[in-house]
């Protein structure tokens, strides 16, 4: 599964590149994205603010931006490239705090949300929003399961025996 995870303008406390890579790989596996390349970028509010202003016309930071290479004037040219997902770690941190959940869970949700935008999902209507939320939840569950320690059958410790003399 070809993807690139870049973390800029950090370090970002509580962000584990290894764990996020495991989560992204699980989400791409669930969506059967085997050959298309995706770039994931974690950055700060300053950089995402600039991108949000330049490409969407909103003069403020946001949590996630997705740039699908299948859209726009040259959309048909970008075969094998899905696009870029950009996430603001400081915004994700604030949202995680407000929702009282771990930062990694918020980041996972934002990465999933961005990935789904690259795949053509949207949330302009109530129906689209329901479908996208359900698929985001499915991807997050797969990511959480992949990142959790293996939970095999519990094994009892062998019973202690008394030594005979």
């Amino acid at each position: 599964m070809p993807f690139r995870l870049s973390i800029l303008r950090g370090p970002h406390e509580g962000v584990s590149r290894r764990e996020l890579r495991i989560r992204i790989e699980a989400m791409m596996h669930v969506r059967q994205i085997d050959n298309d390349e995706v770039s994931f970028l974690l950055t700060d509010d300053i950089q995402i603010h600039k991108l949000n202003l330049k490409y969407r016309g909103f003069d403020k930071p946001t949590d996630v931006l997705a740039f699908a290479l299948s859209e726009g004037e040259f959309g048909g040219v970008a075969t094998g490239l899905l696009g870029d997902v950009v996430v603001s770690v400081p915004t994700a941190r604030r949202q995680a705090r407000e929702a009282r959940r771990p930062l990694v869970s918020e980041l996972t949700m934002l990465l999933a949300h961005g990935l789904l935008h690259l795949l053509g999902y949207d949330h302009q209507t109530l129906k689209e929003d329901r479908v996208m939320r359900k698929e985001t939840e499915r991807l997050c569950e797969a990511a959480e399961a992949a990142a959790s320690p293996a939970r095999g059958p519990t094994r009892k410790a062998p019973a202690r025996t008394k030594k005979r003399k």
Side-chain angles (χ1 to χ4, degrees):
M1 287 171 249
F3 70 89
R4 180 181 181 139
L5 172 62
S6 300
I7 302 175
L8 301 177
R9 307 225 176 173
H12 301 284
E13 187 178 332
V15 175
S16 164
R17 178 186 298 273
R18 181 179 172 278
E19 182 170 1
L20 289 175
R21 288 188 63 79
I22 290 168
R23 289 166 178 259
I24 291 168
E25 189 171 299
M27 291 188 285
M28 291 182 69
H29 178 75
V30 165
R31 290 301 313 200
Q32 298 178 334
I33 302 169
D34 299 320
N35 299 315
D36 295 323
E37 290 184 40
V38 182
S39 170
F40 296 93
L41 170 65
L42 301 182
T43 190
D44 64 4
D45 280 346
I46 294 168
Q47 187 171 23
I48 207 163
H49 183 163
K50 290 176 185 176
L51 293 170
N52 203 22
L53 179 59
K54 182 175 182 176
Y55 294 103
R56 296 185 65 231
F58 295 113
D59 192 10
K60 63 181 183 177
T62 188
D63 53 3
V64 61
L65 293 170
F67 299 98
L69 294 177
S70 62
E71 297 175 358
E73 185 178 349
F74 301 103
V77 179
T79 58
L81 301 171
L82 275 180
D84 305 311
V85 175
V86 183
V87 174
S88 170
V89 176
T91 297
R93 189 181 311 281
R94 286 190 300 276
Q95 291 175 176
R97 203 171 20 249
E98 289 168 11
R100 295 184 178 170
R101 65 184 191 163
L103 173 61
V104 70
S105 296
E106 186 71 15
L107 289 171
T108 301
M109 184 275 298
L110 294 172
L111 292 167
H113 184 91
L115 180 61
L116 290 173
H117 274 303
L118 298 184
L119 295 171
Y121 284 74
D122 211 338
H123 45 84
Q124 297 296 322
T125 68
L126 196 55
K127 182 180 178 184
E128 287 176 341
D129 187 60
R130 271 196 304 271
V131 170
M132 190 166 186
R133 284 180 187 271
K134 185 175 181 179
E135 187 62 11
T136 300
E137 188 175 306
R138 185 171 83 103
L139 293 181
C140 289
E141 287 172 1
E144 294 282 346
S148 296
R151 290 191 171 94
T154 55
R155 295 168 47 184
K156 281 188 168 181
R160 294 183 181 239
T161 55
K162 292 183 181 179
K163 288 185 180 177
R164 291 189 180 172
K165 291 187 180 180

PDB file of all heavy atoms in Angstrom, residues 111-140:
ATOM      1  N   LEU A 111      -7.800  11.586   9.485  1.00  0.00           N
ATOM      2  CA  LEU A 111      -7.128  10.914   8.373  1.00  0.00           C
ATOM      3  C   LEU A 111      -8.121  10.089   7.562  1.00  0.00           C
ATOM      4  O   LEU A 111      -8.090  10.094   6.324  1.00  0.00           O
ATOM      5  CB  LEU A 111      -5.986  10.036   8.895  1.00  0.00           C
ATOM      6  CG  LEU A 111      -4.801  10.783   9.506  1.00  0.00           C
ATOM      7  CD1 LEU A 111      -3.888   9.828  10.272  1.00  0.00           C
ATOM      8  CD2 LEU A 111      -4.019  11.547   8.440  1.00  0.00           C
ATOM      9  N   ALA A 112      -9.019   9.397   8.247  1.00  0.00           N
ATOM     10  CA  ALA A 112     -10.059   8.615   7.560  1.00  0.00           C
ATOM     11  C   ALA A 112     -10.985   9.532   6.761  1.00  0.00           C
ATOM     12  O   ALA A 112     -11.315   9.243   5.604  1.00  0.00           O
ATOM     13  CB  ALA A 112     -10.862   7.800   8.580  1.00  0.00           C
ATOM     14  N   HIS A 113     -11.388  10.621   7.365  1.00  0.00           N
ATOM     15  CA  HIS A 113     -12.277  11.588   6.712  1.00  0.00           C
ATOM     16  C   HIS A 113     -11.622  12.115   5.426  1.00  0.00           C
ATOM     17  O   HIS A 113     -12.252  12.148   4.360  1.00  0.00           O
ATOM     18  CB  HIS A 113     -12.579  12.729   7.688  1.00  0.00           C
ATOM     19  CG  HIS A 113     -13.555  13.723   7.170  1.00  0.00           C
ATOM     20  ND1 HIS A 113     -14.906  13.602   7.381  1.00  0.00           N
ATOM     21  CD2 HIS A 113     -13.381  14.861   6.458  1.00  0.00           C
ATOM     22  CE1 HIS A 113     -15.528  14.632   6.810  1.00  0.00           C
ATOM     23  NE2 HIS A 113     -14.622  15.412   6.248  1.00  0.00           N
ATOM     24  N   GLY A 114     -10.375  12.506   5.529  1.00  0.00           N
ATOM     25  CA  GLY A 114      -9.654  13.004   4.363  1.00  0.00           C
ATOM     26  C   GLY A 114      -9.502  11.943   3.285  1.00  0.00           C
ATOM     27  O   GLY A 114      -9.693  12.220   2.092  1.00  0.00           O
ATOM     28  N   LEU A 115      -9.173  10.726   3.691  1.00  0.00           N
ATOM     29  CA  LEU A 115      -9.028   9.627   2.739  1.00  0.00           C
ATOM     30  C   LEU A 115     -10.336   9.392   1.986  1.00  0.00           C
ATOM     31  O   LEU A 115     -10.347   9.198   0.767  1.00  0.00           O
ATOM     32  CB  LEU A 115      -8.584   8.353   3.471  1.00  0.00           C
ATOM     33  CG  LEU A 115      -8.397   7.097   2.607  1.00  0.00           C
ATOM     34  CD1 LEU A 115      -7.328   7.319   1.542  1.00  0.00           C
ATOM     35  CD2 LEU A 115      -8.040   5.914   3.491  1.00  0.00           C
ATOM     36  N   LEU A 116     -11.437   9.437   2.699  1.00  0.00           N
ATOM     37  CA  LEU A 116     -12.740   9.230   2.056  1.00  0.00           C
ATOM     38  C   LEU A 116     -13.057  10.338   1.055  1.00  0.00           C
ATOM     39  O   LEU A 116     -13.642  10.077   0.000  1.00  0.00           O
ATOM     40  CB  LEU A 116     -13.847   9.096   3.104  1.00  0.00           C
ATOM     41  CG  LEU A 116     -13.781   7.807   3.923  1.00  0.00           C
ATOM     42  CD1 LEU A 116     -14.794   7.830   5.049  1.00  0.00           C
ATOM     43  CD2 LEU A 116     -13.976   6.579   3.027  1.00  0.00           C
ATOM     44  N   HIS A 117     -12.666  11.565   1.362  1.00  0.00           N
ATOM     45  CA  HIS A 117     -12.838  12.641   0.380  1.00  0.00           C
ATOM     46  C   HIS A 117     -12.065  12.322  -0.896  1.00  0.00           C
ATOM     47  O   HIS A 117     -12.553  12.553  -2.007  1.00  0.00           O
ATOM     48  CB  HIS A 117     -12.405  13.990   0.943  1.00  0.00           C
ATOM     49  CG  HIS A 117     -13.468  14.707   1.706  1.00  0.00           C
ATOM     50  ND1 HIS A 117     -14.690  15.036   1.176  1.00  0.00           N
ATOM     51  CD2 HIS A 117     -13.486  15.168   2.983  1.00  0.00           C
ATOM     52  CE1 HIS A 117     -15.419  15.672   2.072  1.00  0.00           C
ATOM     53  NE2 HIS A 117     -14.705  15.760   3.194  1.00  0.00           N
ATOM     54  N   LEU A 118     -10.854  11.785  -0.753  1.00  0.00           N
ATOM     55  CA  LEU A 118     -10.068  11.424  -1.929  1.00  0.00           C
ATOM     56  C   LEU A 118     -10.762  10.356  -2.761  1.00  0.00           C
ATOM     57  O   LEU A 118     -10.591  10.295  -3.981  1.00  0.00           O
ATOM     58  CB  LEU A 118      -8.676  10.921  -1.536  1.00  0.00           C
ATOM     59  CG  LEU A 118      -7.750  11.880  -0.799  1.00  0.00           C
ATOM     60  CD1 LEU A 118      -6.392  11.230  -0.583  1.00  0.00           C
ATOM     61  CD2 LEU A 118      -7.610  13.203  -1.533  1.00  0.00           C
ATOM     62  N   LEU A 119     -11.535   9.516  -2.093  1.00  0.00           N
ATOM     63  CA  LEU A 119     -12.245   8.428  -2.769  1.00  0.00           C
ATOM     64  C   LEU A 119     -13.597   8.868  -3.325  1.00  0.00           C
ATOM     65  O   LEU A 119     -14.350   8.049  -3.853  1.00  0.00           O
ATOM     66  CB  LEU A 119     -12.427   7.247  -1.811  1.00  0.00           C
ATOM     67  CG  LEU A 119     -11.135   6.570  -1.381  1.00  0.00           C
ATOM     68  CD1 LEU A 119     -11.400   5.556  -0.279  1.00  0.00           C
ATOM     69  CD2 LEU A 119     -10.437   5.920  -2.577  1.00  0.00           C
ATOM     70  N   GLY A 120     -13.916  10.166  -3.174  1.00  0.00           N
ATOM     71  CA  GLY A 120     -15.152  10.687  -3.754  1.00  0.00           C
ATOM     72  C   GLY A 120     -16.311  10.864  -2.794  1.00  0.00           C
ATOM     73  O   GLY A 120     -17.391  11.281  -3.197  1.00  0.00           O
ATOM     74  N   TYR A 121     -16.105  10.549  -1.521  1.00  0.00           N
ATOM     75  CA  TYR A 121     -17.165  10.749  -0.536  1.00  0.00           C
ATOM     76  C   TYR A 121     -17.304  12.239  -0.242  1.00  0.00           C
ATOM     77  O   TYR A 121     -16.337  12.982  -0.312  1.00  0.00           O
ATOM     78  CB  TYR A 121     -16.847  10.026   0.779  1.00  0.00           C
ATOM     79  CG  TYR A 121     -17.051   8.541   0.738  1.00  0.00           C
ATOM     80  CD1 TYR A 121     -16.157   7.705   0.060  1.00  0.00           C
ATOM     81  CD2 TYR A 121     -18.124   7.938   1.387  1.00  0.00           C
ATOM     82  CE1 TYR A 121     -16.324   6.333   0.024  1.00  0.00           C
ATOM     83  CE2 TYR A 121     -18.301   6.565   1.355  1.00  0.00           C
ATOM     84  CZ  TYR A 121     -17.404   5.775   0.681  1.00  0.00           C
ATOM     85  OH  TYR A 121     -17.576   4.422   0.646  1.00  0.00           O
ATOM     86  N   ASP A 122     -18.511  12.641   0.119  1.00  0.00           N
ATOM     87  CA  ASP A 122     -18.750  14.027   0.486  1.00  0.00           C
ATOM     88  C   ASP A 122     -19.836  14.064   1.556  1.00  0.00           C
ATOM     89  O   ASP A 122     -20.428  13.034   1.875  1.00  0.00           O
ATOM     90  CB  ASP A 122     -19.164  14.858  -0.732  1.00  0.00           C
ATOM     91  CG  ASP A 122     -18.703  16.307  -0.614  1.00  0.00           C
ATOM     92  OD1 ASP A 122     -18.446  16.770   0.523  1.00  0.00           O
ATOM     93  OD2 ASP A 122     -18.613  16.971  -1.650  1.00  0.00           O
ATOM     94  N   HIS A 123     -20.117  15.235   2.085  1.00  0.00           N
ATOM     95  CA  HIS A 123     -21.125  15.373   3.133  1.00  0.00           C
ATOM     96  C   HIS A 123     -21.943  16.642   2.927  1.00  0.00           C
ATOM     97  O   HIS A 123     -22.266  17.347   3.885  1.00  0.00           O
ATOM     98  CB  HIS A 123     -20.494  15.319   4.529  1.00  0.00           C
ATOM     99  CG  HIS A 123     -19.249  16.141   4.672  1.00  0.00           C
ATOM    100  ND1 HIS A 123     -19.255  17.474   4.949  1.00  0.00           N
ATOM    101  CD2 HIS A 123     -17.948  15.776   4.546  1.00  0.00           C
ATOM    102  CE1 HIS A 123     -18.019  17.926   5.003  1.00  0.00           C
ATOM    103  NE2 HIS A 123     -17.196  16.904   4.764  1.00  0.00           N
ATOM    104  N   GLN A 124     -22.277  16.906   1.668  1.00  0.00           N
ATOM    105  CA  GLN A 124     -23.065  18.099   1.347  1.00  0.00           C
ATOM    106  C   GLN A 124     -24.532  17.928   1.703  1.00  0.00           C
ATOM    107  O   GLN A 124     -25.210  18.896   2.029  1.00  0.00           O
ATOM    108  CB  GLN A 124     -22.932  18.427  -0.144  1.00  0.00           C
ATOM    109  CG  GLN A 124     -21.514  18.764  -0.567  1.00  0.00           C
ATOM    110  CD  GLN A 124     -21.004  20.030   0.092  1.00  0.00           C
ATOM    111  OE1 GLN A 124     -21.736  20.997   0.273  1.00  0.00           O
ATOM    112  NE2 GLN A 124     -19.738  20.029   0.476  1.00  0.00           N
ATOM    113  N   THR A 125     -25.040  16.700   1.632  1.00  0.00           N
ATOM    114  CA  THR A 125     -26.437  16.433   1.972  1.00  0.00           C
ATOM    115  C   THR A 125     -26.481  15.557   3.217  1.00  0.00           C
ATOM    116  O   THR A 125     -25.477  14.952   3.603  1.00  0.00           O
ATOM    117  CB  THR A 125     -27.167  15.703   0.822  1.00  0.00           C
ATOM    118  OG1 THR A 125     -26.618  14.377   0.700  1.00  0.00           O
ATOM    119  CG2 THR A 125     -27.043  16.462  -0.499  1.00  0.00           C
ATOM    120  N   LEU A 126     -27.659  15.478   3.811  1.00  0.00           N
ATOM    121  CA  LEU A 126     -27.837  14.646   5.002  1.00  0.00           C
ATOM    122  C   LEU A 126     -27.528  13.182   4.691  1.00  0.00           C
ATOM    123  O   LEU A 126     -26.864  12.498   5.474  1.00  0.00           O
ATOM    124  CB  LEU A 126     -29.272  14.799   5.525  1.00  0.00           C
ATOM    125  CG  LEU A 126     -29.545  14.330   6.938  1.00  0.00           C
ATOM    126  CD1 LEU A 126     -28.604  14.999   7.931  1.00  0.00           C
ATOM    127  CD2 LEU A 126     -30.983  14.629   7.314  1.00  0.00           C
ATOM    128  N   LYS A 127     -27.967  12.706   3.539  1.00  0.00           N
ATOM    129  CA  LYS A 127     -27.717  11.320   3.148  1.00  0.00           C
ATOM    130  C   LYS A 127     -26.219  11.070   2.951  1.00  0.00           C
ATOM    131  O   LYS A 127     -25.675  10.084   3.443  1.00  0.00           O
ATOM    132  CB  LYS A 127     -28.468  10.979   1.867  1.00  0.00           C
ATOM    133  CG  LYS A 127     -28.300   9.541   1.435  1.00  0.00           C
ATOM    134  CD  LYS A 127     -29.055   9.236   0.165  1.00  0.00           C
ATOM    135  CE  LYS A 127     -28.803   7.788  -0.248  1.00  0.00           C
ATOM    136  NZ  LYS A 127     -29.444   7.472  -1.516  1.00  0.00           N
ATOM    137  N   GLU A 128     -25.545  11.974   2.248  1.00  0.00           N
ATOM    138  CA  GLU A 128     -24.099  11.841   2.051  1.00  0.00           C
ATOM    139  C   GLU A 128     -23.367  11.859   3.386  1.00  0.00           C
ATOM    140  O   GLU A 128     -22.426  11.086   3.600  1.00  0.00           O
ATOM    141  CB  GLU A 128     -23.562  12.987   1.184  1.00  0.00           C
ATOM    142  CG  GLU A 128     -23.916  12.904  -0.276  1.00  0.00           C
ATOM    143  CD  GLU A 128     -23.443  14.127  -1.053  1.00  0.00           C
ATOM    144  OE1 GLU A 128     -23.170  15.185  -0.449  1.00  0.00           O
ATOM    145  OE2 GLU A 128     -23.335  14.017  -2.287  1.00  0.00           O
ATOM    146  N   ASP A 129     -23.805  12.738   4.273  1.00  0.00           N
ATOM    147  CA  ASP A 129     -23.174  12.855   5.592  1.00  0.00           C
ATOM    148  C   ASP A 129     -23.307  11.552   6.374  1.00  0.00           C
ATOM    149  O   ASP A 129     -22.347  11.095   6.987  1.00  0.00           O
ATOM    150  CB  ASP A 129     -23.792  14.020   6.366  1.00  0.00           C
ATOM    151  CG  ASP A 129     -23.061  14.273   7.665  1.00  0.00           C
ATOM    152  OD1 ASP A 129     -21.844  14.558   7.621  1.00  0.00           O
ATOM    153  OD2 ASP A 129     -23.701  14.177   8.736  1.00  0.00           O
ATOM    154  N   ARG A 130     -24.504  10.945   6.347  1.00  0.00           N
ATOM    155  CA  ARG A 130     -24.719   9.671   7.052  1.00  0.00           C
ATOM    156  C   ARG A 130     -23.805   8.580   6.501  1.00  0.00           C
ATOM    157  O   ARG A 130     -23.182   7.841   7.253  1.00  0.00           O
ATOM    158  CB  ARG A 130     -26.178   9.232   6.943  1.00  0.00           C
ATOM    159  CG  ARG A 130     -27.069   9.742   8.033  1.00  0.00           C
ATOM    160  CD  ARG A 130     -28.391   8.978   8.102  1.00  0.00           C
ATOM    161  NE  ARG A 130     -29.122   8.985   6.843  1.00  0.00           N
ATOM    162  CZ  ARG A 130     -30.010   9.900   6.473  1.00  0.00           C
ATOM    163  NH1 ARG A 130     -30.291  10.894   7.283  1.00  0.00           N
ATOM    164  NH2 ARG A 130     -30.634   9.799   5.321  1.00  0.00           N
ATOM    165  N   VAL A 131     -23.731   8.503   5.177  1.00  0.00           N
ATOM    166  CA  VAL A 131     -22.897   7.478   4.543  1.00  0.00           C
ATOM    167  C   VAL A 131     -21.427   7.703   4.890  1.00  0.00           C
ATOM    168  O   VAL A 131     -20.710   6.762   5.245  1.00  0.00           O
ATOM    169  CB  VAL A 131     -23.112   7.487   3.002  1.00  0.00           C
ATOM    170  CG1 VAL A 131     -22.084   6.617   2.300  1.00  0.00           C
ATOM    171  CG2 VAL A 131     -24.526   7.033   2.669  1.00  0.00           C
ATOM    172  N   MET A 132     -20.993   8.954   4.827  1.00  0.00           N
ATOM    173  CA  MET A 132     -19.587   9.248   5.108  1.00  0.00           C
ATOM    174  C   MET A 132     -19.243   8.996   6.573  1.00  0.00           C
ATOM    175  O   MET A 132     -18.173   8.462   6.886  1.00  0.00           O
ATOM    176  CB  MET A 132     -19.246  10.680   4.719  1.00  0.00           C
ATOM    177  CG  MET A 132     -17.759  10.965   4.761  1.00  0.00           C
ATOM    178  SD  MET A 132     -17.372  12.496   3.923  1.00  0.00           S
ATOM    179  CE  MET A 132     -15.603  12.470   3.982  1.00  0.00           C
ATOM    180  N   ARG A 133     -20.135   9.365   7.470  1.00  0.00           N
ATOM    181  CA  ARG A 133     -19.889   9.109   8.903  1.00  0.00           C
ATOM    182  C   ARG A 133     -19.778   7.620   9.194  1.00  0.00           C
ATOM    183  O   ARG A 133     -18.921   7.185   9.958  1.00  0.00           O
ATOM    184  CB  ARG A 133     -20.986   9.729   9.756  1.00  0.00           C
ATOM    185  CG  ARG A 133     -20.878  11.219   9.904  1.00  0.00           C
ATOM    186  CD  ARG A 133     -22.028  11.763  10.768  1.00  0.00           C
ATOM    187  NE  ARG A 133     -22.031  13.190  10.780  1.00  0.00           N
ATOM    188  CZ  ARG A 133     -21.361  13.932  11.662  1.00  0.00           C
ATOM    189  NH1 ARG A 133     -20.642  13.351  12.598  1.00  0.00           N
ATOM    190  NH2 ARG A 133     -21.408  15.246  11.616  1.00  0.00           N
ATOM    191  N   LYS A 134     -20.656   6.846   8.567  1.00  0.00           N
ATOM    192  CA  LYS A 134     -20.644   5.392   8.788  1.00  0.00           C
ATOM    193  C   LYS A 134     -19.333   4.784   8.278  1.00  0.00           C
ATOM    194  O   LYS A 134     -18.725   3.957   8.941  1.00  0.00           O
ATOM    195  CB  LYS A 134     -21.843   4.742   8.086  1.00  0.00           C
ATOM    196  CG  LYS A 134     -21.980   3.277   8.357  1.00  0.00           C
ATOM    197  CD  LYS A 134     -23.253   2.718   7.745  1.00  0.00           C
ATOM    198  CE  LYS A 134     -23.367   1.237   8.071  1.00  0.00           C
ATOM    199  NZ  LYS A 134     -24.582   0.648   7.541  1.00  0.00           N
ATOM    200  N   GLU A 135     -18.895   5.221   7.098  1.00  0.00           N
ATOM    201  CA  GLU A 135     -17.653   4.689   6.542  1.00  0.00           C
ATOM    202  C   GLU A 135     -16.440   5.178   7.337  1.00  0.00           C
ATOM    203  O   GLU A 135     -15.478   4.430   7.535  1.00  0.00           O
ATOM    204  CB  GLU A 135     -17.528   5.058   5.062  1.00  0.00           C
ATOM    205  CG  GLU A 135     -16.366   4.401   4.368  1.00  0.00           C
ATOM    206  CD  GLU A 135     -16.413   2.880   4.338  1.00  0.00           C
ATOM    207  OE1 GLU A 135     -17.442   2.257   4.671  1.00  0.00           O
ATOM    208  OE2 GLU A 135     -15.382   2.277   3.985  1.00  0.00           O
ATOM    209  N   THR A 136     -16.487   6.406   7.820  1.00  0.00           N
ATOM    210  CA  THR A 136     -15.408   6.922   8.668  1.00  0.00           C
ATOM    211  C   THR A 136     -15.302   6.060   9.931  1.00  0.00           C
ATOM    212  O   THR A 136     -14.201   5.676  10.345  1.00  0.00           O
ATOM    213  CB  THR A 136     -15.659   8.396   9.046  1.00  0.00           C
ATOM    214  OG1 THR A 136     -15.715   9.180   7.855  1.00  0.00           O
ATOM    215  CG2 THR A 136     -14.565   8.930   9.953  1.00  0.00           C
ATOM    216  N   GLU A 137     -16.433   5.747  10.516  1.00  0.00           N
ATOM    217  CA  GLU A 137     -16.462   4.913  11.720  1.00  0.00           C
ATOM    218  C   GLU A 137     -15.875   3.530  11.436  1.00  0.00           C
ATOM    219  O   GLU A 137     -15.099   2.998  12.228  1.00  0.00           O
ATOM    220  CB  GLU A 137     -17.904   4.782  12.217  1.00  0.00           C
ATOM    221  CG  GLU A 137     -18.036   4.116  13.557  1.00  0.00           C
ATOM    222  CD  GLU A 137     -19.484   4.131  14.038  1.00  0.00           C
ATOM    223  OE1 GLU A 137     -20.090   5.210  14.101  1.00  0.00           O
ATOM    224  OE2 GLU A 137     -19.995   3.035  14.345  1.00  0.00           O
ATOM    225  N   ARG A 138     -16.212   2.964  10.298  1.00  0.00           N
ATOM    226  CA  ARG A 138     -15.703   1.640   9.920  1.00  0.00           C
ATOM    227  C   ARG A 138     -14.178   1.674   9.774  1.00  0.00           C
ATOM    228  O   ARG A 138     -13.469   0.784  10.267  1.00  0.00           O
ATOM    229  CB  ARG A 138     -16.353   1.183   8.614  1.00  0.00           C
ATOM    230  CG  ARG A 138     -15.989  -0.229   8.200  1.00  0.00           C
ATOM    231  CD  ARG A 138     -16.841  -0.671   7.019  1.00  0.00           C
ATOM    232  NE  ARG A 138     -16.316  -0.207   5.760  1.00  0.00           N
ATOM    233  CZ  ARG A 138     -15.641  -0.974   4.902  1.00  0.00           C
ATOM    234  NH1 ARG A 138     -15.403  -2.250   5.191  1.00  0.00           N
ATOM    235  NH2 ARG A 138     -15.207  -0.480   3.766  1.00  0.00           N
ATOM    236  N   LEU A 139     -13.657   2.722   9.141  1.00  0.00           N
ATOM    237  CA  LEU A 139     -12.214   2.843   8.982  1.00  0.00           C
ATOM    238  C   LEU A 139     -11.521   3.051  10.327  1.00  0.00           C
ATOM    239  O   LEU A 139     -10.452   2.473  10.578  1.00  0.00           O
ATOM    240  CB  LEU A 139     -11.871   3.992   8.033  1.00  0.00           C
ATOM    241  CG  LEU A 139     -12.276   3.825   6.575  1.00  0.00           C
ATOM    242  CD1 LEU A 139     -11.849   5.037   5.766  1.00  0.00           C
ATOM    243  CD2 LEU A 139     -11.714   2.555   5.982  1.00  0.00           C
ATOM    244  N   CYS A 140     -12.122   3.859  11.186  1.00  0.00           N
ATOM    245  CA  CYS A 140     -11.534   4.105  12.514  1.00  0.00           C
ATOM    246  C   CYS A 140     -11.509   2.831  13.345  1.00  0.00           C
ATOM    247  O   CYS A 140     -10.528   2.567  14.050  1.00  0.00           O
ATOM    248  CB  CYS A 140     -12.296   5.214  13.236  1.00  0.00           C
ATOM    249  SG  CYS A 140     -12.010   6.854  12.529  1.00  0.00           S
TER     250      CYS A 140
END
